[in-house]
Amino acid sequence: MQIEFVKCHGSGNDFPLVDARGLELHEDAWVRLARALADRAGPVGGDGLLLLTAGDATHAFGMRMFNPDGSEAETCLNGVRCTARLGFERLGVDAARVLLKTSDAEAQRQAELAPGVATIRTRVGPVSTRAVDVGLRIAEPEVIDAPIAGLPSDRAFTAVAMPNPHLVAFVDAVDEGELVALGDWCEGAPALLPARGNVSFVEVRGSEAAPALFVRTYERGVGLTNSCGSAMAASTYAAARTGRIPFDREARVFNRGGMVRASATPAAEVTIAGNATFEWDGRIGFDPATGALDGLTVIAQRPAEVASWDAMLASL
């Protein structure tokens, strides 16, 4: 069968995005498609596979996100922006409530972050800091800026469910070796965190009047990544909850992939405005039974969008 997709990215978090509303595939086939299309050694590559799915009575459309290892994430906020943009274009709307695996998000078009950079704002929450929601098997009801017994790190963490699980530590400077070692440990599904989790080290930058964060994340099912939207949201909430940045004030949140603008409320809602850049459109043959890909065709390039994003990065 032929699969059409858009190669897109949100803050450098890149994906093949498929309009799956008219496709009927067995769950195993979606897993095979994710592993094949997101494979960096394959013809497309990405940080995962995004699916635009049908909505329901209260959602215009939905999103599913599969990691490169085939596991399905509860959410992906960089992916929500890209999927929302495609949904807006297909349905002719500028705002929608988006159905996710275990929650939902509000999305709408936003004034451009920079000239030519398509921008979508999403709002999620309330997020949870309950240890059980994060998947931590501990006696404490929550972890806020405190060490976690049994974790191979003595750093203080804030545990946040977006609803996907995040452990956020604020550091003076990111040590990638330390981050990868801890992420690898969590990726092994230890008894402390059997469903695994995302781990972020965060540097606080800027000032109270103009707060900024730099986030580096080991993403569950992915590894060290240049960008993770839910990690940026979790880090924003954790920073506000621990008094490092003010609630209800927009912060610039940076990662290796780019920048978004984010804010958190005392009611545990997080808003992120960031890019949803479409780089090119493609078509590829896919065998649902084996997961084999064949015959990639680039239908259209989108050089103006790519150039606009590159110009924004150069200005940061």
Side-chain angles (χ1 to χ4, degrees):
M1 66 183 298
Q2 293 292 307
I3 299 290
E4 292 193 0
F5 63 92
V6 178
K7 187 65 189 297
C8 60
H9 78 83
S11 195
N13 208 185
D14 68 318
F15 313 92
L17 165 60
V18 175
D19 185 346
R21 292 173 300 164
L23 299 176
E24 294 186 6
L25 291 176
H26 190 274
E27 285 298 300
D28 289 345
W30 288 123
V31 171
R32 294 187 189 101
L33 182 62
R35 289 174 175 166
L37 275 184
D39 184 0
R40 292 291 184 188
V44 180
D47 288 324
L49 170 67
L50 300 177
L51 304 180
L52 172 66
T53 60
D56 57 21
T58 56
H59 301 87
F61 50 82
M63 182 197 81
R64 297 181 71 183
M65 186 275 188
F66 290 88
N67 293 311
D69 66 357
S71 61
E72 186 172 0
E74 293 89 342
T75 189
C76 170
L77 296 186
N78 287 328
V80 168
R81 296 199 307 276
C82 294
T83 306
R85 176 182 168 183
L86 185 62
F88 293 164
E89 292 180 358
R90 296 290 164 91
L91 298 179
V93 298
D94 292 320
R97 184 176 289 274
V98 184
L99 179 64
L100 305 176
K101 183 181 179 183
T102 60
S103 61
D104 62 11
E106 296 178 5
Q108 68 179 68
R109 293 188 185 275
Q110 179 91 351
E112 294 177 345
L113 285 175
V117 176
T119 302
I120 306 292
R121 185 181 71 191
T122 57
R123 184 172 66 184
V124 296
V127 305
S128 175
T129 56
R130 296 175 65 228
V132 66
D133 293 338
V134 180
L136 285 167
R137 301 289 179 84
I138 59 176
E140 293 78 12
E142 64 179 7
V143 179
I144 305 295
D145 211 16
I148 301 174
L151 197 71
S153 172
D154 58 3
R155 290 192 180 275
F157 288 86
T158 297
V160 185
M162 291 301 305
N164 57 341
H166 290 268
L167 303 180
V168 179
F170 294 94
V171 299
D172 293 331
V174 172
D175 183 326
E176 289 190 359
E178 179 188 356
L179 176 59
V180 168
L182 183 55
D184 284 345
W185 185 85
C186 292
E187 194 71 357
L192 178 69
L193 194 63
R196 306 179 296 164
N198 304 283
V199 184
S200 293
F201 285 177
V202 183
E203 299 173 15
V204 180
R205 300 177 178 179
S207 64
E208 184 174 351
L213 304 172
F214 174 75
V215 181
R216 197 79 170 103
T217 300
Y218 187 108
E219 187 172 359
R220 179 180 61 170
V222 179
L224 190 65
T225 181
N226 283 341
S227 181
C228 175
S230 59
M232 290 188 285
S235 299
T236 300
Y237 179 72
R241 177 70 184 268
T242 59
R244 289 177 167 88
I245 65 173
F247 278 116
D248 295 316
R249 183 169 298 167
E250 191 173 73
R252 293 194 301 166
V253 184
F254 296 88
N255 53 42
R256 287 288 179 86
M259 183 271 291
V260 300
R261 298 186 183 276
S263 63
T265 73
E269 292 186 330
V270 183
T271 298
I272 286 184
N275 75 300
T277 299
F278 289 0
E279 298 180 311
W280 52 278
D281 303 76
R283 181 189 303 115
I284 197 166
F286 171 63
D287 184 341
T290 66
L293 300 176
D294 179 62
L296 173 64
T297 300
V298 177
I299 300 170
Q301 298 277 5
R302 304 192 187 218
E305 290 201 39
V306 174
S308 294
W309 174 253
D310 289 344
M312 190 192 105
L313 287 185
S315 70
L316 295 178

